Amino acid sequence: MQLLRLLGRLTVVSGLVWALWGAPAVAQIPDLTTGRVATLAPLVKEVTPAVVNISVQGRVKEDNPLYQDPLFREFFNVPKQLEKEVNATGSGVIVDAQRGYVLTANHVVANATAVQIRTKDGRKFAGRVVGRDAPTDIALLQIREPAELKAIALGDSDALQVGDFVIAVGNPFGLGQTVTSGLVSALGRTGLGKHGYEDFIQTDAAINPGNSGGGLINLRGELVGINTAIISPGGGNVGIGFAVPINMARKVMEQLAQTGRVERGRIGIALEDLEAPAAGSVQGARIKEVSPGSPAERAGLRRGDIILKANDIPIRSATQMRNLIGLTQVGRQVRLTIERGRTTESATVEIVPLSDQRPRARGPG
């Protein structure tokens, strides 16, 4: 029985090696006579120079109810708002070596007054916050005077499947760079109440405090997510971690690099999920309201239309569609494929600023 368990473990590990070497994804027992040993070391060696440790100095407001009491402040001569200095550590990923751009989690640098970035080889650089976006928990940093940096290639998080192998690289508990491995456990996780735009990758690769902002990396050596949250009743890893998909982070990064902030827009619709779909039935998001005079109305969208695709991306939920609209730059257009009745139609809608209140289009007279 013990031999069977051992063989089962060897089979799983060997599958990792064959995937890395580009061989067919068929589990194999290593040939012990040739000395071939299952290992992720070549992949780790290639990608870890792009993952950095981030040290932050900052100031946060003291959260004490007494400080809000005017009598207490007057009697003890306490200023209206007290602040305290804090030090924190986290992780980040170099995504542009020439410009020195580093992606990380917003909550790592939310209160930063000074940022220091340390590479795997021990070099230390001063960093600056280019921009932050709290709703997606993504921030973009820039290394001042970058030199001999190595960036990681960005993958396609939409191509991930449950069961794909991934590794997580970061700086847990401030110990220094650490690598863990696991699977993609689930996709499209929402309802965590952490951020405004949720479409998390769930993984069982060990993620702990300090891993925030680090990389979730596939076996091609591509960055597919930015680690951001864990479910942890005891404060440590319990095998449920979450990462922001890199396709979402990429859109945020592009706007932060250009303007330092994310400007969100609208098309003027309210959405709802379809009822639990049966096998083979339609998936999408139903329009339950169209605002008068909105881009959606001008494009001919109606209440009851089901959005099947946006920019050729299949839509599986109302949350996914809201995320897509919210992360598309103002002024750009979104191509929609909709189902109306029993027919499929197309529409092109422009993203306008949230403050856009152009009147309903009227005919002559």
Side-chain angles (χ1 to χ4, degrees):
M1 195 66 182
Q2 291 181 344
L3 178 60
L4 290 176
R5 291 196 188 100
L6 176 60
L7 291 176
R9 292 173 184 172
L10 290 175
T11 299
V12 172
V13 174
S14 179
L16 289 173
V17 178
W18 283 96
L20 282 173
W21 289 342
V26 178
Q28 300 285 335
I29 297 176
D31 185 355
L32 301 181
T33 61
T34 64
R36 180 178 292 178
V37 179
T39 178
L40 292 175
L43 170 67
V44 171
K45 183 178 180 180
E46 180 68 21
V47 301
T48 50
V51 180
V52 297
N53 295 345
I54 298 174
S55 299
V56 174
Q57 293 180 333
R59 301 183 67 85
V60 297
K61 296 178 181 179
E62 288 275 16
D63 186 17
N64 190 321
L66 289 176
Y67 297 154
Q68 308 304 319
D69 187 331
L71 294 178
F72 178 87
R73 294 201 312 270
E74 182 178 359
F75 185 80
F76 289 101
N77 194 27
V78 175
K80 186 174 182 180
Q81 186 65 62
L82 292 181
E83 293 184 336
K84 64 178 180 180
E85 293 188 358
V86 295
N87 295 308
T89 59
S91 308
V93 187
I94 301 172
V95 293
D96 188 326
Q98 298 300 318
R99 297 180 181 180
Y101 282 159
V102 175
L103 271 180
T104 187
N106 170 71
H107 68 267
V108 171
V109 295
N111 301 293
T113 56
V115 177
Q116 185 181 79
I117 297 172
R118 180 161 55 90
T119 57
K120 182 184 178 182
D121 58 11
R123 292 181 295 156
K124 296 180 180 179
F125 297 87
R128 74 178 185 93
V129 179
V130 176
R132 302 187 294 108
D133 184 57
T136 56
D137 197 30
I138 290 295
L140 181 64
L141 310 182
Q142 186 172 34
I143 293 175
R144 299 181 187 273
E145 301 180 1
E148 298 181 2
L149 301 177
K150 182 173 181 179
I152 191 170
L154 304 187
D156 179 8
S157 52
D158 289 338
L160 283 176
Q161 299 182 62
V162 174
D164 284 349
F165 287 106
V166 287
I167 64 172
V169 188
N171 179 30
F173 300 108
L175 294 173
Q177 193 175 92
T178 303
V179 180
T180 57
S181 66
L183 299 175
V184 173
S185 305
L187 296 168
R189 285 298 196 211
T190 61
L192 303 182
K194 181 175 175 59
H195 309 299
Y197 290 83
E198 297 185 349
D199 190 22
F200 295 120
I201 303 166
Q202 181 182 328
T203 179
D204 66 348
I207 296 175
N208 287 290
N211 273 108
S212 290
L216 190 69
I217 300 166
N218 64 19
L219 294 192
R220 295 187 181 91
E222 299 168 333
L223 182 67
V224 293
I226 299 295
N227 300 324
T228 184
I230 58 175
I231 290 180
S232 178
N237 172 63
V238 294
I240 303 178
F242 301 96
V244 177
I246 194 60
N247 289 3
M248 177 183 287
R250 181 192 286 112
K251 293 179 180 179
V252 173
M253 178 182 68
E254 290 171 353
Q255 293 199 49
L256 293 179
Q258 291 178 10
T259 65
R261 62 189 181 91
V262 175
E263 182 182 12
R264 290 187 167 83
R266 68 182 188 95
I267 64 173
I269 58 175
L271 297 165
E272 63 182 357
D273 289 328
L274 300 178
E275 292 77 12
S281 63
V282 172
Q283 285 189 323
R286 180 184 288 110
I287 298 176
K288 64 178 182 180
E289 183 180 343
V290 178
S291 300
S294 66
E297 187 190 56
R298 294 193 292 271
L301 298 181
R302 303 176 189 172
R303 179 180 179 181
D305 289 345
I306 298 175
I307 300 176
L308 305 177
K309 294 182 179 180
N311 292 338
D312 298 324
I313 299 173
I315 299 300
R316 63 181 180 270
S317 67
T319 297
Q320 180 193 7
M321 187 62 200
R322 281 193 292 267
N323 289 345
L324 189 147
I325 294 172
L327 295 172
T328 300
Q329 287 185 335
V330 170
R332 293 191 178 180
Q333 295 183 329
V334 178
R335 302 184 312 278
L336 301 179
T337 301
I338 63 172
E339 181 181 277
R340 179 179 297 162
R342 296 183 178 180
T343 63
T344 301
E345 302 183 16
S346 299
T348 300
V349 189
E350 181 184 1
I351 306 292
V352 299
L354 291 174
S355 59
D356 182 271
Q357 296 293 338
R358 282 181 281 180
R360 182 194 301 265
R362 297 180 182 273

